[in-house]
Amino acid sequence: MDEQRVFSMKGRQSAFQAFHIADVEEDSTGKAKKHHKKPYMLLEHGQSAEFDVFFKPTLAQRLEGKICVELSGNSEINIELVGEGYDDDFILDNVTGVAEDSEGSSAKGNLEDDIIEAVRVNHVEFGDCAVGRCCDKTFTVTNRSKEEVMRFEWLAGAPFQFSPKVGHLQPGRAKNIRVTLKSNIPVTFKRHSVKCKVAKIKYQLPPEEVCNWDDGMCTVQWEDTPYRHPGARWPVKQKVAKALLEPPHTVLEESSHEVELSARVDYAKFKLDTVEVEFKKTKLFQTERSTFWMYNTGNVALEYSWEVTLEEEKPSKCSEKPFSTTLMSYFLSSAAVEQWFKSHARQVHWASPLESTQPQSSQAQSSQPQSSTQPQSSPCHSKWLPCPLKRVSSSLELLPDDINDPPLFSIKPHCGTIPAGQKQIFHVKFCPMRVGKFKAQILCR
């Protein structure tokens, strides 16, 4: 790839799947004989292989390399490599957006003409951001000096904010810098330059008394308030956070660096192919499905998150039948009944035992003791009575388990992102566990 061996290449999983080694044959004596062909890659129609190319310079200079790919039919493809090593005490690491740099990836030219420039590592790409929402990116600043302390200060204005904005870097130490973008109007930034003042400093205090300071640090103190409880000797205290002051220092040498920011801020726009989904009559414990589309008609990615809210429920009369311990005991064992009541203690609507169908006079009913309407349950069941008993008709119907039952309405995918100009299909499910008419509203946040 290059004479200095500063470029290296490593295949990904897709490359290993397409990689083939030379076949091994046996001669007439039974000994293994190597095939004359070299290891090769075989790509079927539509198949791809990915590689990672690494650049590790040893000197501060511009370096060049080349990857030669031999194809069947005595043809070849040459991939030109350009890298530039630099040596600096204050460096930026883990900058996002370098690999996606459109200008660096679309550079044209020839190495002999010396017009191809190495991709700069100070470009932060935010991508698409919605109006009024915060977008964050993080990178690292490092002090590679072995003895000198450095002070940095980002000279950024709205709508970009750097945190920390001012800080100190001890020798060999690093800090994470968070850049936040929030704009209330649509705007596009293309390589917006932000300068960073860097200075080598010397502390006026002993090194052991100085921390790795930045403007995000604070101290918490308890201070007295003018309030005092009746009979108390001391006033009420409150917790107060105060910014930690910058350690006194002397500037030795100043320099400057810069970072470039790119972003596109716009309103998210979408279009639905329907605003109402109506399900047909569905049997209990069955699932009815429906679909609809959402189109992203804006210029930025659209983030969505659905919330389902049940607005209206009209239960059927048959769904209001309560429990009957008498009928349940006819068909279930005592152990099964006891286990069921343990797990549904708060969902039981008790009913009286089977009663005579003959009409009773109002006087007889009023003179009948209230306790006579209670089911004669065993002691093991009496402790699970959660509410007063009522005179209602008997039923064996069991109410559904609200904890384990699937949701009445559900939608998938629940959340995600739709790229600009793309569409997403959503699947809505209706799974009734009780009889009734239901209406729900699905909100997209």
Side-chain angles (χ1 to χ4, degrees):
M1 298 178 67
D2 65 292
E3 297 180 355
Q4 292 83 5
R5 297 184 180 275
V6 295
F7 294 99
S8 60
M9 184 174 65
K10 182 179 180 180
R12 296 187 178 181
Q13 185 63 30
S14 58
F16 289 116
Q17 294 176 354
F19 186 76
H20 297 269
I21 60 176
D23 298 330
V24 179
E25 299 178 352
E26 293 184 357
D27 56 13
S28 58
T29 60
K31 296 182 179 181
K33 181 178 64 175
K34 292 184 178 180
H35 202 274
H36 66 281
K37 290 185 178 180
K38 298 179 181 179
Y40 62 96
M41 294 186 62
L42 180 62
L43 296 178
E44 303 292 342
H45 177 72
Q47 185 180 3
S48 62
E50 297 178 330
F51 296 87
D52 292 320
V53 181
F54 302 93
F55 175 60
K56 188 176 181 179
T58 57
L59 298 174
Q61 61 181 3
R62 183 177 185 274
L63 300 170
E64 302 171 357
K66 182 181 296 185
I67 300 176
C68 182
V69 182
E70 297 181 356
L71 306 177
S72 58
N74 296 326
S75 60
E76 64 180 25
I77 297 177
N78 293 322
I79 302 175
E80 300 171 343
L81 306 176
V82 176
E84 184 174 352
Y86 69 95
D87 187 14
D88 198 349
D89 291 336
F90 185 86
I91 61 174
L92 279 65
D93 293 321
N94 305 320
V95 179
T96 57
V98 175
E100 297 82 3
D101 194 322
S102 58
E103 291 190 10
S105 60
S106 62
K108 298 181 180 180
N110 193 297
L111 290 180
E112 296 179 356
D113 300 332
D114 196 22
I115 61 175
I116 298 181
E117 296 183 359
V119 178
R120 305 185 68 177
V121 297
N122 63 341
H123 184 202
V124 179
E125 178 64 51
F126 280 86
D128 297 335
C129 301
V131 174
R133 296 191 61 181
C134 292
C135 297
D136 298 328
K137 290 294 181 179
T138 305
F139 60 91
T140 305
V141 292
T142 306
N143 181 3
R144 298 179 67 250
S145 174
K146 296 181 180 180
E147 298 179 355
E148 297 171 326
V149 181
M150 291 190 175
R151 180 186 186 273
F152 64 88
E153 180 180 0
W154 297 99
L155 306 179
F160 294 101
Q161 292 184 353
F162 284 71
S163 178
K165 184 177 181 180
V166 184
H168 295 179
L169 279 177
Q170 303 292 334
R173 301 291 295 274
K175 278 184 181 291
N176 290 331
I177 306 296
R178 179 181 297 274
V179 189
T180 302
L181 168 62
K182 182 179 180 181
S183 176
N184 296 323
I185 58 174
V187 63
T188 299
F189 297 95
K190 186 64 175 178
R191 292 188 173 274
H192 176 73
S193 179
V194 175
K195 290 187 177 182
C196 178
K197 291 176 57 178
V198 180
K200 296 180 180 180
I201 62 175
K202 181 179 180 181
Y203 288 123
Q204 300 176 6
L205 298 175
E208 59 272 9
E209 298 183 11
V210 181
C211 61
N212 201 30
W213 176 87
D214 61 62
D215 60 354
M217 296 181 174
C218 63
T219 58
V220 178
Q221 299 177 355
W222 290 93
E223 296 183 354
D224 295 340
T225 64
Y227 305 101
R228 181 178 299 182
H229 295 299
R233 299 179 56 186
W234 310 105
V236 178
K237 292 183 177 293
Q238 65 178 359
K239 186 188 296 184
V240 178
K242 294 185 177 181
L244 190 63
L245 297 179
E246 183 176 4
H249 59 274
T250 302
V251 177
L252 302 179
E253 180 182 346
E254 291 184 345
S255 61
S256 65
H257 291 68
E258 67 177 18
V259 64
E260 295 178 342
L261 310 175
S262 296
R264 180 170 56 181
V265 184
D266 201 353
Y267 288 103
K269 303 176 183 178
F270 66 92
K271 180 181 179 181
L272 296 172
D273 65 343
T274 183
V275 293
E276 184 177 2
V277 177
E278 185 173 356
F279 294 94
K280 62 182 181 181
K281 291 184 178 181
T282 307
K283 293 182 178 180
L284 293 180
F285 310 108
Q286 301 296 319
T287 301
E288 185 69 19
R289 295 174 173 85
S290 181
T291 60
F292 68 91
W293 292 85
M294 176 183 284
Y295 301 85
N296 184 357
T297 58
N299 297 322
V300 297
L302 172 64
E303 296 182 2
Y304 62 87
S305 177
W306 295 100
E307 295 181 3
V308 181
T309 305
L310 187 61
E311 287 188 337
E312 183 179 358
E313 177 179 355
K314 296 180 180 180
S316 175
K317 291 183 178 180
C318 62
S319 66
E320 298 177 350
K321 294 181 179 180
F323 291 94
S324 173
T325 56
T326 305
L327 282 178
M328 290 181 66
S329 61
Y330 289 161
F331 299 96
L332 301 177
S333 64
S334 59
V337 173
E338 181 178 359
Q339 180 63 28
W340 191 92
F341 280 117
K342 286 182 179 180
S343 59
H344 298 75
R346 296 185 179 181
Q347 302 178 18
V348 179
H349 183 187
W350 293 90
S352 63
L354 290 176
E355 302 173 9
S356 173
T357 57
Q358 297 179 359
Q360 300 180 2
S361 63
S362 59
Q363 181 180 1
Q365 293 179 5
S366 61
S367 61
Q368 188 177 10
Q370 183 178 1
S371 60
S372 63
T373 62
Q374 299 180 1
Q376 302 298 324
S377 58
S378 60
C380 65
H381 296 159
S382 61
K383 63 181 180 179
W384 302 106
L385 296 178
C387 58
L389 305 182
K390 301 179 180 179
R391 175 184 292 277
V392 288
S393 60
S394 302
S395 172
L396 186 60
E397 182 176 346
L398 305 182
L399 294 181
D401 188 349
D402 295 336
I403 300 177
N404 298 324
D405 285 346
L408 190 62
F409 294 97
S410 61
I411 183 172
K412 288 186 178 181
H414 176 263
C415 59
T417 303
I418 306 176
Q422 301 295 321
K423 62 182 179 179
Q424 173 69 50
I425 184 172
F426 295 95
H427 303 270
V428 185
K429 293 183 180 180
F430 172 56
C431 183
M433 306 300 290
R434 55 188 180 273
V435 179
K437 295 182 180 180
F438 308 95
K439 182 181 179 181
Q441 186 178 34
I442 305 179
L443 299 178
C444 183
R445 302 290 185 182

